[in-house]
Amino acid sequence: MSDLLQLGLSNLLSPMVLSFALGFAAALARSDLDIPEAVGRAMALYLMFAIGFKGGAALAESGGGGKVLLDILAAGLLSALLPFLAYGLLRAFSGLRAVDAGAVAAHYGSISIVTFVTASQFVTAQALGYEGHLVAMMAVMETPAIVTGLYLARRALAKEGGGRTAGQPFFSKELVHEILLNASVVVLVGAFIIGWATGPSGMAKVKPFVVDLFNGVLCLFLLDMGLLAARQLRGVRALSGGTLAFGIYMPLVGAVAGLGLAWAIGLGLGGATLMAVLGASASYIAVPAAMRLALPQANPAVYVTMSLVITFPFNVVLGIPLYFAAARMLGFQAG
Amino acid sequence: MSDLLQLGLSNLLSPMVLSFALGFAAALARSDLDIPEAVGRAMALYLMFAIGFKGGAALAESGGGGKVLLDILAAGLLSALLPFLAYGLLRAFSGLRAVDAGAVAAHYGSISIVTFVTASQFVTAQALGYEGHLVAMMAVMETPAIVTGLYLARRALAKEGGGRTAGQPFFSKELVHEILLNASVVVLVGAFIIGWATGPSGMAKVKPFVVDLFNGVLCLFLLDMGLLAARQLRGVRALSGGTLAFGIYMPLVGAVAGLGLAWAIGLGLGGATLMAVLGASASYIAVPAAMRLALPQANPAVYVTMSLVITFPFNVVLGIPLYFAAARMLGFQAG
Amino acid sequence: MSDLLQLGLSNLLSPMVLSFALGFAAALARSDLDIPEAVGRAMALYLMFAIGFKGGAALAESGGGGKVLLDILAAGLLSALLPFLAYGLLRAFSGLRAVDAGAVAAHYGSISIVTFVTASQFVTAQALGYEGHLVAMMAVMETPAIVTGLYLARRALAKEGGGRTAGQPFFSKELVHEILLNASVVVLVGAFIIGWATGPSGMAKVKPFVVDLFNGVLCLFLLDMGLLAARQLRGVRALSGGTLAFGIYMPLVGAVAGLGLAWAIGLGLGGATLMAVLGASASYIAVPAAMRLALPQANPAVYVTMSLVITFPFNVVLGIPLYFAAARMLGFQAG
Amino acid sequence: MQTHQRKKVEIVVERARAPALVEAIQKLGATGYTIIPDVSGNGRHGKMGHNEVLDVYRSTMIIVLAAEPLARRIMEEAHRLMENYTGIVWLSDVEVVRGDHF
Amino acid sequence: MQTHQRKKVEIVVERARAPALVEAIQKLGATGYTIIPDVSGNGRHGKMGHNEVLDVYRSTMIIVLAAEPLARRIMEEAHRLMENYTGIVWLSDVEVVRGDHF
Amino acid sequence: MQTHQRKKVEIVVERARAPALVEAIQKLGATGYTIIPDVSGNGRHGKMGHNEVLDVYRSTMIIVLAAEPLARRIMEEAHRLMENYTGIVWLSDVEVVRGDHF
Ligand SMILES: Nc1ncnc2c1ncn2[C@@H]1O[C@H](COP(=O)(O)O)[C@@H](O)[C@H]1O
Ligand SMILES: Nc1ncnc2c1ncn2[C@@H]1O[C@H](COP(=O)(O)O)[C@@H](O)[C@H]1O
Ligand SMILES: Nc1ncnc2c1ncn2[C@@H]1O[C@H](COP(=O)(O)O)[C@@H](O)[C@H]1O
Ligand code: NA
Ligand code: NA
Ligand code: NA
């Protein structure tokens, strides 16, 4: 137990998590501190490019083969299934409307890249490695949950008798685009392939950029995320207790599912921790965008608040060391 | 004397100061060279985060204690008092209206972070260190001068018989916010605390970002500052000779006051140089914003031109080596 | 031959060229991936600053003298003459209107900084150096081609009997400004001078920024360029076969001219490759801007499409290794 | 200089819906449109921000000049397309020189 | 489609003063407002820039749709609040569909 | 509050030409102008983008308030200056409080 505390503390006392706290506190105090949106988006791009490249380069070094593809498929399946669980829990305990429950469920089946990136630094700080193709698994997990969530919400809308919904195709052209080719999927997968194709010689060329700067940029980016999360805090007032609780217990459920998958496909301790984080984290960029396109009836204030204001901070501050401790306790082995 | 020349030259021939000169020259020649505003703001944030973090980490290594708090208090006091001096000089010699004199005085009691950052590089290039908590002293010096300047200007307005001013509260809610929680105070103090709390292990994680890139980013940022300063040059024509002269002699006065404080609190040679720079420099971001909120009767063209177009270049190009030479002559000792 | 293939492959398998391909593919697939414009401009500024600084520092180390000025003059002459050749070819084989042919010719006499920067990395990856003042030669080549192109186009317009053109001065004030003081000329030349003036001691201060990050930033920038080029692809449909062909064979012609100049002024293998690249590359920022100011009758879709969509990708993907192989075959010697 | 009476339709709408509106405007036959890409505001659906990180809270302003009948059709269609979305639309009078352009 | 006559108030004002104006607009009872965050310009107080580093030289444009009496009150209050500040205000006619919204 | 009738000229024009238009507006005697620096759109000359890397595909919107005769002169001159360039111009009615300002 004291070991768990110690882990939590070492996570809390990293410059990254403290930067997040700084941003959160600044926004709470209504400071006008603001990171220009263009720069925030550029930092996000950088982090995705770097994490993708590092994953690809790691895979190139370790070799991979068919096992990698199977793992990726399995991750996609997890993303497609988690929303059923989430939807069931929401309908049973939260009092959310069906359409909102479907939308929220999609977010929790999907993933948060920033949470993963933060966790990857935590893992590295424990002197652990992780399987390079986890990045590809993450990329694949963005999307399937959207399909499941939409299916659940639209089924409910149809029952309520929305003649209007009938006219709508299940997948509009824009939606398919948004789902398969959104910026984060393209950069993650693209950089992953580039890292894999150019291997160690490619890595030698870009290491100062892709590796050395990583932590520092992550600090500023988490500062920005802290500002962002705290500025959406007002959304919390409109949510019921059951809904808010979901934002805390669903990550735990997702983490367990992630650990189960990690066990099934035989990941090491670092990889299992990250897999738990993928299960636990919820999207707040890609899925909201898809929901506005395809499910405008759902209330964005609900799903954005839950994933960004409740679950994201929970995971970054407490979840990551917790999932790591759980993975270690369950006997996952270092690299 | 030839030693002083040599110092000045080595300052002039640094990539940073030459970058400033490049920007200044480009704008004078009416080139359309332009650094996107979002990027300029991001560089400013980076520099504040980095200097804050480095200061905090240095303090963590050197230890500190109550002395640090006393020093910080003393710095705040200096900031609160300098505007009285500045106001007196302006009223005696410049011909500025009282309201403008009060506004300008506030700027010179406050500080310029970029000047400090540039000076910190000069000090480092002399193979000197400086006390980490100077960053905190700088953060604290931003604000008190605003209060003094406002007091002086409003007293004058009241005498002129502005019934309108009577209705206005001395501190509006927005003003208090702007003063205590403006972006630079939050980032400087926040990063200082993070650097201090995470100490050497935190520094190890972010050194390539926070330390290695510093000079390079500073070059581009000073290039931008050169463009900015030269593009405000037209404002100079409207200022009287006495007003312009103040932009040069007030920094000297402020530097002497800074050296006095440095002597009183026992700083080393590096720290004393920086303390002189704090005394000598004038704000051109935080204080103008506060003045527009709280003292719209004052003419922004006056205070922006003086601090940005006269004093800032003077300090960066000539002041810094001068203050260093003075500190050395006065017997301040290295580290 | 297999050696050539190998060279081409090693170029293709660099992270930079693959990043370009990623951007191109993403835009073709209509992904909404987008690098904020402010960040794209900042990366361009960084690359120009870095390449200029490195060139200046290299010149400071190698010494230079009058020879350097002669080389620069010769480069300017090449830029002024190439458009005559280009115009002749276009009028003979492309079917473009005279005014469009003049505008296009100006682009091909001028240069593309990004192509040069990418080639400089290719050369470095071959463990070769290059003459530092090539950067200055590049800067000087931006402009003279504009004058020639305008002359050719306006002569044609005058013949067609545009009474309107008669009223227009050959050089408006804005045009002269745009030509001599556009952002890229100022940053390249300025950073070159700073690098040269501060020499090795300056380089020591900014190396982590200017050298270490270079490749990584170039990756993201080429990703952006890939997006940009592919998004202009629709412009291709409006161009005739002869016009499109010009976009491929003119670079070869320009490369030959560049190699000839390299031979005449005695460059090494690295320098000759880069000189070929300068001859081969076409402007897509500075010259279009000048054309809109001074030759609004010309169709921007024509010249932008040709230089950005045809010639730029051709040079980055195939041209650079080809010109290097040619230079090596012609007996240019390493450094 | 002789001028012609036309109508101007202005729409403020959340980002996600802007492409659908632009498509409709073109289909209905407008000769063009102008977009102010990033505006902020407040209305029945709460605050929208500019330079927002979260695209769901951003909005866009669209301006279309057209002859009156087309302008009214655009206004109507815009209303239909903004159901379930954040947005408003209004109409006003303008004069243009080139009647053949609008 | 039936429409209703409303007024549009437009304000261009320096940044530092925009929050005070927005607050007043809400207090007076407008149902919403739209902001174009960064405009540049020139007037009696000299040049304002967009993408200015110096906030004192930036301005913002505010658009409010309202029924005529409210619109005129907003216009009057805006004038009062812009004393000592850089800014202008004007009024024009618009038609809206949803009369209950404005 | 008494108001005065004025005209508002609005111009959407490609970036390269905006400075020439602004210069003309000032020379003709307008008391000021407001610029929305980066708009996108579509028209006879094809698509213009915002946040475009290529300056040739960017456009700018200019707003001028003036008394009717001056406004019409500005409109005419704008038309002349936009030959060979991408752009449109229109005119509408506004009311202002400070008649001496426009
Ligand atoms: N009365 C109003 N005046 C001006 N703009 C408005 C008004 N009401 C709403 N808006 C704009 O329209 C957007 C959507 O409005 P709503 O759908 O009512 O939330 C808001 O974010 C504002 O930008
Ligand atoms: N005649 C005008 N037409 C359009 N905009 C104007 C005009 N006069 C002033 N403005 C705008 O209002 C702002 C403030 O004007 P002023 O207070 O007169 O300096 C200027 O920066 C312009 O953006
Ligand atoms: N009917 C229209 N309504 C609104 N804006 C238009 C219209 N036609 C053209 N524009 C704007 O004017 C610019 C130039 O138009 P054009 O010269 O016709 O290509 C376009 O990029 C649009 O921003
Ligand atoms: Na998840
Ligand atoms: Na000071
Ligand atoms: Na060329």
Side-chain angles (χ1 to χ4, degrees), chain A residues 34-40 42 220, chain B residues 34-47 217-218 220-224, chain C residues 35-46 209, chain E residues 51-53 58:
Chain A
D34 197 31
I35 296 191
E37 181 236 347
V39 174
L220 285 195
Chain B
D34 196 32
I35 295 191
E37 180 237 347
V39 174
R41 280 206 285 146
M43 290 194 294
L45 270 174
Y46 163 81
L47 291 171
V217 175
L218 185 54
L220 285 194
F221 190 72
L222 284 173
L223 175 64
D224 198 17
Chain C
I35 295 190
E37 181 236 348
V39 174
R41 280 206 286 144
M43 290 194 294
L45 269 174
Y46 163 81
F209 183 69
Chain E
N51 281 343
E52 259 296 345
V53 179
R58 296 182 85 156

Short mmCIF file of all heavy atoms in Angstrom, two decimals, chain A residues 34-40 42 220, chain B residues 34-47 217-218 220-224, chain C residues 35-46 209, chain E residues 51-53 58:
data_model
loop_
_atom_site.label_atom_id
_atom_site.label_comp_id
_atom_site.label_asym_id
_atom_site.label_seq_id
_atom_site.Cartn_x
_atom_site.Cartn_y
_atom_site.Cartn_z
N ASP A 34 -3.48 31.57 -21.60
CA ASP A 34 -4.06 30.94 -22.76
C ASP A 34 -2.94 30.52 -23.69
O ASP A 34 -2.06 31.32 -23.99
CB ASP A 34 -4.97 31.96 -23.48
CG ASP A 34 -5.90 31.28 -24.43
OD1 ASP A 34 -6.29 30.13 -24.16
OD2 ASP A 34 -6.22 31.90 -25.45
N ILE A 35 -2.96 29.28 -24.14
CA ILE A 35 -1.99 28.86 -25.14
C ILE A 35 -2.69 28.97 -26.49
O ILE A 35 -3.78 28.45 -26.66
CB ILE A 35 -1.51 27.43 -24.86
CG1 ILE A 35 -0.76 27.42 -23.52
CG2 ILE A 35 -0.63 26.92 -25.98
CD1 ILE A 35 0.00 26.16 -23.23
N PRO A 36 -2.07 29.68 -27.45
CA PRO A 36 -2.76 29.87 -28.73
C PRO A 36 -3.20 28.52 -29.30
O PRO A 36 -2.45 27.55 -29.26
CB PRO A 36 -1.69 30.52 -29.61
CG PRO A 36 -0.73 31.16 -28.67
CD PRO A 36 -0.75 30.33 -27.43
N GLU A 37 -4.40 28.52 -29.83
CA GLU A 37 -4.98 27.27 -30.33
C GLU A 37 -4.08 26.63 -31.39
O GLU A 37 -3.91 25.42 -31.41
CB GLU A 37 -6.36 27.57 -30.92
CG GLU A 37 -7.09 26.37 -31.46
CD GLU A 37 -7.48 26.57 -32.91
OE1 GLU A 37 -7.39 27.71 -33.40
OE2 GLU A 37 -7.84 25.57 -33.54
N ALA A 38 -3.50 27.44 -32.27
CA ALA A 38 -2.65 26.89 -33.32
C ALA A 38 -1.47 26.14 -32.71
O ALA A 38 -1.06 25.09 -33.20
CB ALA A 38 -2.13 28.01 -34.23
N VAL A 39 -0.95 26.67 -31.62
CA VAL A 39 0.20 26.05 -30.97
C VAL A 39 -0.24 24.78 -30.24
O VAL A 39 0.46 23.77 -30.25
CB VAL A 39 0.86 27.05 -30.02
CG1 VAL A 39 1.98 26.40 -29.23
CG2 VAL A 39 1.39 28.23 -30.83
N GLY A 40 -1.41 24.82 -29.62
CA GLY A 40 -1.93 23.62 -28.99
C GLY A 40 -2.10 22.50 -30.01
O GLY A 40 -1.69 21.36 -29.77
N ALA A 42 -0.53 22.21 -32.81
CA ALA A 42 0.79 21.79 -33.28
C ALA A 42 1.46 20.87 -32.27
O ALA A 42 2.10 19.88 -32.64
CB ALA A 42 1.67 23.01 -33.54
N LEU A 220 4.08 21.46 -21.57
CA LEU A 220 3.28 22.60 -22.02
C LEU A 220 1.92 22.14 -22.53
O LEU A 220 0.92 22.82 -22.34
CB LEU A 220 4.01 23.36 -23.13
CG LEU A 220 5.18 24.23 -22.69
CD1 LEU A 220 5.57 25.19 -23.80
CD2 LEU A 220 4.83 25.03 -21.44
N ASP B 34 7.33 38.73 -40.81
CA ASP B 34 6.37 38.72 -39.73
C ASP B 34 6.37 37.35 -39.07
O ASP B 34 6.31 36.33 -39.75
CB ASP B 34 4.97 39.00 -40.32
CG ASP B 34 4.00 39.39 -39.25
OD1 ASP B 34 4.44 40.01 -38.27
OD2 ASP B 34 2.82 39.07 -39.38
N ILE B 35 6.47 37.32 -37.75
CA ILE B 35 6.35 36.05 -37.05
C ILE B 35 4.91 35.94 -36.58
O ILE B 35 4.40 36.86 -35.95
CB ILE B 35 7.34 35.99 -35.88
CG1 ILE B 35 8.77 36.01 -36.45
CG2 ILE B 35 7.10 34.75 -35.03
CD1 ILE B 35 9.84 35.70 -35.45
N PRO B 36 4.23 34.83 -36.92
CA PRO B 36 2.81 34.73 -36.55
C PRO B 36 2.64 34.99 -35.06
O PRO B 36 3.41 34.53 -34.24
CB PRO B 36 2.46 33.28 -36.90
CG PRO B 36 3.44 32.85 -37.92
CD PRO B 36 4.70 33.63 -37.62
N GLU B 37 1.60 35.75 -34.75
CA GLU B 37 1.37 36.17 -33.37
C GLU B 37 1.25 34.97 -32.44
O GLU B 37 1.76 34.99 -31.33
CB GLU B 37 0.08 37.01 -33.32
CG GLU B 37 -0.28 37.51 -31.95
CD GLU B 37 -1.68 37.06 -31.55
OE1 GLU B 37 -2.43 36.57 -32.42
OE2 GLU B 37 -1.99 37.18 -30.37
N ALA B 38 0.56 33.91 -32.91
CA ALA B 38 0.40 32.73 -32.06
C ALA B 38 1.76 32.15 -31.69
O ALA B 38 1.98 31.69 -30.56
CB ALA B 38 -0.44 31.67 -32.78
N VAL B 39 2.68 32.18 -32.63
CA VAL B 39 4.00 31.62 -32.39
C VAL B 39 4.80 32.53 -31.46
O VAL B 39 5.52 32.06 -30.58
CB VAL B 39 4.72 31.39 -33.73
CG1 VAL B 39 6.14 30.93 -33.51
CG2 VAL B 39 3.94 30.37 -34.54
N GLY B 40 4.67 33.82 -31.65
CA GLY B 40 5.33 34.75 -30.74
C GLY B 40 4.86 34.54 -29.31
O GLY B 40 5.67 34.48 -28.38
N ARG B 41 3.55 34.40 -29.14
CA ARG B 41 3.03 34.18 -27.80
C ARG B 41 3.51 32.84 -27.24
O ARG B 41 3.81 32.73 -26.05
CB ARG B 41 1.51 34.24 -27.79
CG ARG B 41 0.98 35.67 -27.79
CD ARG B 41 -0.39 35.77 -27.17
NE ARG B 41 -1.41 35.27 -28.07
CZ ARG B 41 -2.51 34.63 -27.68
NH1 ARG B 41 -2.71 34.39 -26.38
NH2 ARG B 41 -3.40 34.23 -28.56
N ALA B 42 3.59 31.84 -28.10
CA ALA B 42 4.07 30.54 -27.63
C ALA B 42 5.53 30.61 -27.21
O ALA B 42 5.94 30.02 -26.21
CB ALA B 42 3.88 29.49 -28.72
N MET B 43 6.34 31.36 -27.96
CA MET B 43 7.75 31.49 -27.58
C MET B 43 7.86 32.20 -26.24
O MET B 43 8.68 31.84 -25.39
CB MET B 43 8.53 32.23 -28.67
CG MET B 43 8.70 31.41 -29.94
SD MET B 43 9.94 32.08 -31.10
CE MET B 43 9.16 33.61 -31.59
N ALA B 44 7.04 33.23 -26.05
CA ALA B 44 7.05 33.94 -24.78
C ALA B 44 6.70 32.99 -23.64
O ALA B 44 7.36 32.96 -22.59
CB ALA B 44 6.08 35.12 -24.82
N LEU B 45 5.67 32.18 -23.85
CA LEU B 45 5.28 31.20 -22.84
C LEU B 45 6.42 30.24 -22.55
O LEU B 45 6.72 29.91 -21.40
CB LEU B 45 4.09 30.37 -23.35
CG LEU B 45 2.72 30.90 -23.04
CD1 LEU B 45 1.68 30.06 -23.73
CD2 LEU B 45 2.51 30.86 -21.53
N TYR B 46 7.03 29.75 -23.63
CA TYR B 46 8.16 28.83 -23.47
C TYR B 46 9.26 29.47 -22.63
O TYR B 46 9.78 28.87 -21.70
CB TYR B 46 8.71 28.42 -24.84
CG TYR B 46 10.09 27.81 -24.72
CD1 TYR B 46 10.26 26.49 -24.35
CD2 TYR B 46 11.23 28.59 -24.91
CE1 TYR B 46 11.52 25.94 -24.19
CE2 TYR B 46 12.49 28.05 -24.76
CZ TYR B 46 12.64 26.73 -24.39
OH TYR B 46 13.89 26.21 -24.22
N LEU B 47 9.63 30.70 -22.98
CA LEU B 47 10.73 31.36 -22.26
C LEU B 47 10.37 31.54 -20.78
O LEU B 47 11.22 31.33 -19.90
CB LEU B 47 11.05 32.70 -22.91
CG LEU B 47 11.68 32.62 -24.30
CD1 LEU B 47 11.76 34.00 -24.94
CD2 LEU B 47 13.08 31.98 -24.26
N VAL B 217 15.55 29.58 -29.19
CA VAL B 217 14.22 30.18 -29.17
C VAL B 217 14.33 31.68 -28.87
O VAL B 217 13.64 32.50 -29.47
CB VAL B 217 13.31 29.48 -28.13
CG1 VAL B 217 11.97 30.18 -28.03
CG2 VAL B 217 13.11 28.02 -28.51
N LEU B 218 15.24 31.99 -27.96
CA LEU B 218 15.42 33.41 -27.61
C LEU B 218 15.83 34.23 -28.84
O LEU B 218 15.40 35.38 -29.00
CB LEU B 218 16.46 33.54 -26.48
CG LEU B 218 16.69 34.93 -25.92
CD1 LEU B 218 15.39 35.58 -25.48
CD2 LEU B 218 17.68 34.88 -24.76
N LEU B 220 14.96 33.73 -32.04
CA LEU B 220 13.77 34.01 -32.85
C LEU B 220 12.84 34.98 -32.14
O LEU B 220 12.21 35.84 -32.77
CB LEU B 220 13.02 32.72 -33.19
CG LEU B 220 13.65 31.83 -34.25
CD1 LEU B 220 12.66 30.79 -34.73
CD2 LEU B 220 14.15 32.65 -35.44
N PHE B 221 12.76 34.84 -30.82
CA PHE B 221 11.87 35.72 -30.09
C PHE B 221 12.37 37.16 -30.13
O PHE B 221 11.59 38.10 -30.30
CB PHE B 221 11.72 35.26 -28.64
CG PHE B 221 10.63 35.99 -27.92
CD1 PHE B 221 9.32 35.72 -28.22
CD2 PHE B 221 10.92 36.96 -26.98
CE1 PHE B 221 8.29 36.41 -27.59
CE2 PHE B 221 9.90 37.65 -26.34
CZ PHE B 221 8.59 37.38 -26.64
N LEU B 222 13.67 37.33 -30.01
CA LEU B 222 14.21 38.69 -30.07
C LEU B 222 14.11 39.27 -31.48
O LEU B 222 13.95 40.48 -31.65
CB LEU B 222 15.66 38.72 -29.55
CG LEU B 222 15.78 38.62 -28.03
CD1 LEU B 222 17.23 38.47 -27.60
CD2 LEU B 222 15.16 39.86 -27.36
N LEU B 223 14.20 38.40 -32.47
CA LEU B 223 13.94 38.86 -33.84
C LEU B 223 12.54 39.47 -33.91
O LEU B 223 12.34 40.58 -34.43
CB LEU B 223 14.04 37.64 -34.77
CG LEU B 223 13.69 37.83 -36.25
CD1 LEU B 223 14.65 38.77 -36.92
CD2 LEU B 223 13.71 36.49 -36.99
N ASP B 224 11.58 38.76 -33.34
CA ASP B 224 10.20 39.24 -33.31
C ASP B 224 10.09 40.55 -32.53
O ASP B 224 9.40 41.49 -32.95
CB ASP B 224 9.34 38.16 -32.65
CG ASP B 224 7.87 38.33 -32.95
OD1 ASP B 224 7.54 39.06 -33.89
OD2 ASP B 224 7.05 37.73 -32.23
N ILE C 35 -2.07 21.29 -40.71
CA ILE C 35 -1.13 21.92 -39.79
C ILE C 35 -1.48 23.40 -39.75
O ILE C 35 -1.59 24.04 -40.80
CB ILE C 35 0.32 21.69 -40.24
CG1 ILE C 35 0.61 20.18 -40.16
CG2 ILE C 35 1.30 22.48 -39.39
CD1 ILE C 35 2.05 19.81 -40.34
N PRO C 36 -1.70 23.95 -38.54
CA PRO C 36 -2.12 25.36 -38.48
C PRO C 36 -1.17 26.23 -39.29
O PRO C 36 0.05 26.06 -39.23
CB PRO C 36 -2.04 25.70 -36.99
CG PRO C 36 -2.16 24.40 -36.28
CD PRO C 36 -1.56 23.37 -37.19
N GLU C 37 -1.73 27.17 -40.02
CA GLU C 37 -0.94 28.00 -40.91
C GLU C 37 0.16 28.75 -40.14
O GLU C 37 1.29 28.88 -40.63
CB GLU C 37 -1.86 29.00 -41.61
CG GLU C 37 -1.17 29.92 -42.58
CD GLU C 37 -1.43 31.37 -42.23
OE1 GLU C 37 -2.31 31.63 -41.39
OE2 GLU C 37 -0.72 32.22 -42.79
N ALA C 38 -0.17 29.22 -38.94
CA ALA C 38 0.83 29.96 -38.17
C ALA C 38 2.03 29.07 -37.88
O ALA C 38 3.19 29.53 -37.91
CB ALA C 38 0.21 30.46 -36.86
N VAL C 39 1.77 27.82 -37.62
CA VAL C 39 2.86 26.90 -37.29
C VAL C 39 3.65 26.56 -38.54
O VAL C 39 4.88 26.45 -38.51
CB VAL C 39 2.28 25.64 -36.62
CG1 VAL C 39 3.36 24.61 -36.40
CG2 VAL C 39 1.60 26.03 -35.31
N GLY C 40 2.96 26.39 -39.66
CA GLY C 40 3.66 26.16 -40.91
C GLY C 40 4.61 27.31 -41.23
O GLY C 40 5.77 27.10 -41.59
N ARG C 41 4.11 28.54 -41.04
CA ARG C 41 4.97 29.69 -41.32
C ARG C 41 6.13 29.75 -40.34
O ARG C 41 7.25 30.12 -40.71
CB ARG C 41 4.16 30.98 -41.27
CG ARG C 41 3.37 31.21 -42.56
CD ARG C 41 3.09 32.68 -42.79
NE ARG C 41 2.06 33.16 -41.91
CZ ARG C 41 2.02 34.37 -41.37
NH1 ARG C 41 3.01 35.24 -41.62
NH2 ARG C 41 1.03 34.73 -40.59
N ALA C 42 5.88 29.38 -39.10
CA ALA C 42 6.96 29.39 -38.11
C ALA C 42 8.01 28.35 -38.45
O ALA C 42 9.22 28.60 -38.32
CB ALA C 42 6.40 29.15 -36.72
N MET C 43 7.58 27.18 -38.91
CA MET C 43 8.56 26.17 -39.28
C MET C 43 9.39 26.64 -40.46
O MET C 43 10.61 26.43 -40.52
CB MET C 43 7.86 24.85 -39.60
CG MET C 43 7.25 24.18 -38.38
SD MET C 43 6.78 22.45 -38.66
CE MET C 43 5.45 22.66 -39.84
N ALA C 44 8.74 27.29 -41.43
CA ALA C 44 9.48 27.83 -42.57
C ALA C 44 10.52 28.84 -42.10
O ALA C 44 11.68 28.81 -42.52
CB ALA C 44 8.53 28.47 -43.57
N LEU C 45 10.12 29.71 -41.18
CA LEU C 45 11.06 30.70 -40.64
C LEU C 45 12.21 30.01 -39.94
O LEU C 45 13.38 30.38 -40.11
CB LEU C 45 10.34 31.56 -39.60
CG LEU C 45 9.68 32.81 -40.10
CD1 LEU C 45 8.90 33.47 -38.99
CD2 LEU C 45 10.75 33.77 -40.63
N TYR C 46 11.88 29.00 -39.14
CA TYR C 46 12.93 28.26 -38.43
C TYR C 46 13.92 27.66 -39.42
O TYR C 46 15.13 27.78 -39.26
CB TYR C 46 12.32 27.15 -37.57
CG TYR C 46 13.34 26.13 -37.16
CD1 TYR C 46 14.18 26.37 -36.08
CD2 TYR C 46 13.50 24.96 -37.88
CE1 TYR C 46 15.16 25.45 -35.73
CE2 TYR C 46 14.47 24.03 -37.54
CZ TYR C 46 15.29 24.29 -36.46
OH TYR C 46 16.27 23.39 -36.12
N PHE C 209 19.43 24.03 -31.08
CA PHE C 209 18.24 24.54 -31.78
C PHE C 209 18.43 24.46 -33.28
O PHE C 209 17.60 23.92 -34.01
CB PHE C 209 18.00 25.98 -31.34
CG PHE C 209 16.77 26.64 -31.89
CD1 PHE C 209 15.51 26.23 -31.49
CD2 PHE C 209 16.86 27.68 -32.79
CE1 PHE C 209 14.37 26.84 -31.97
CE2 PHE C 209 15.72 28.31 -33.29
CZ PHE C 209 14.47 27.89 -32.88
N ASN E 51 -3.82 40.42 -35.27
CA ASN E 51 -2.65 39.63 -34.92
C ASN E 51 -1.55 40.49 -34.32
O ASN E 51 -0.38 40.21 -34.46
CB ASN E 51 -2.10 38.89 -36.14
CG ASN E 51 -2.92 37.66 -36.43
OD1 ASN E 51 -3.66 37.20 -35.58
ND2 ASN E 51 -2.76 37.11 -37.61
N GLU E 52 -1.98 41.53 -33.64
CA GLU E 52 -1.04 42.42 -32.97
C GLU E 52 -0.48 41.73 -31.73
O GLU E 52 -1.21 41.06 -30.99
CB GLU E 52 -1.78 43.68 -32.50
CG GLU E 52 -1.60 44.88 -33.35
CD GLU E 52 -0.17 45.37 -33.36
OE1 GLU E 52 0.63 44.97 -32.53
OE2 GLU E 52 0.14 46.17 -34.26
N VAL E 53 0.79 41.91 -31.47
CA VAL E 53 1.35 41.41 -30.22
C VAL E 53 0.83 42.26 -29.06
O VAL E 53 0.54 41.75 -27.98
CB VAL E 53 2.88 41.44 -30.27
CG1 VAL E 53 3.46 40.95 -28.97
CG2 VAL E 53 3.37 40.61 -31.43
N ARG E 58 -5.41 46.12 -30.52
CA ARG E 58 -6.29 45.15 -31.18
C ARG E 58 -7.74 45.56 -31.01
O ARG E 58 -8.11 46.14 -30.01
CB ARG E 58 -6.11 43.77 -30.58
CG ARG E 58 -4.71 43.25 -30.80
CD ARG E 58 -4.57 41.87 -30.25
NE ARG E 58 -5.01 40.90 -31.23
CZ ARG E 58 -4.59 39.64 -31.23
NH1 ARG E 58 -3.76 39.21 -30.31
NH2 ARG E 58 -5.00 38.79 -32.14
#
